Amino acid sequence: MKVNKKTVLNIILILFVLSFFVTPIGYYGKIWLNRLFSFAPAVIEETEQQQITDYDWRLKDADWNFFNFEKSKGNVVFINFWASWRLPSEAELASIQELYDKYKGQMDFYIITNEEQEPVETFMEEHGFSFPVTYLIIGEKMPVSADKVPSSYLLDKEGHIVIHEEGISDWSSKKVYRLLDELIAE
């Protein structure tokens, strides 16, 4: 029995597709595809921007200490809701790490999860992420919605929501950097 070239190529293609479902290659391939198809977030038109007026929001820091969001009043703020078990979150966090590395100390970062501390610390260590993790207190009032994960908000110094993005975005882009430079300079 002779096997032709087309049959061999079809078998290779089928094996490649199956690898996305049953091997670690597929997991990393999905992350790569999520990153490939993520784009810079859209800026909300100034006339459409909502403003946060109540900064009274309790959260926990990486040491499990309570603090209040009010400390960020008057600052440019980046808020991201994520979960270590959500593949889109993992794909997005690499660009958030780059954003944090570039702008730490110039603005406030709240990269928020509602998970327990131990799995989050393991996840952070495995991926080499160093941004500060903030823990959500379930049932606490919040100035923004955490219904979708991942989702992100960018606030200007007056508390206007300049960007609200549900799903994965590329936060390490020239478009975002230009916007942040403008917001920080104001």
Side-chain angles (χ1 to χ4, degrees), residues 51-57 69-70 73 141-144:
Q51 186 175 18
I52 291 175
T53 55
D54 185 5
Y55 279 75
D56 186 21
W57 179 21
F69 184 65
E70 283 206 358
K73 200 170 194 174
K141 67 178 183 171
M142 303 185 316
V144 294

Side-chain angles (χ1 to χ4, degrees), residues 118-172:
E118 186 180 328
V120 169
E121 288 175 351
T122 302
F123 176 85
M124 296 288 288
E125 190 175 313
E126 285 175 358
H127 293 85
F129 295 138
S130 63
F131 51 76
V133 176
T134 305
Y135 295 89
L136 185 64
I137 302 170
I138 305 296
E140 183 72 23
K141 67 178 183 171
M142 303 185 316
V144 294
S145 173
D147 292 341
K148 303 266 185 186
V149 174
S151 64
S152 302
Y153 296 85
L154 181 64
L155 311 177
D156 67 11
K157 291 179 179 178
E158 287 80 42
H160 294 101
I161 300 173
V162 178
I163 293 175
H164 173 217
E165 199 68 27
E166 292 181 352
I168 185 173
S169 292
D170 180 9
W171 292 98
S172 181

Side-chain angles (χ1 to χ4, degrees), residues 45-60:
E45 291 292 327
E46 209 169 310
T47 57
E48 301 291 318
Q49 293 177 1
Q50 297 177 352
Q51 186 175 18
I52 291 175
T53 55
D54 185 5
Y55 279 75
D56 186 21
W57 179 21
R58 285 182 346 131
L59 297 156
K60 291 181 197 171

Side-chain angles (χ1 to χ4, degrees), residues 40-43 173-180:
V43 177
S173 68
K174 291 179 183 177
K175 176 183 174 183
V176 172
Y177 293 164
R178 276 192 303 273
L179 174 64
L180 285 173

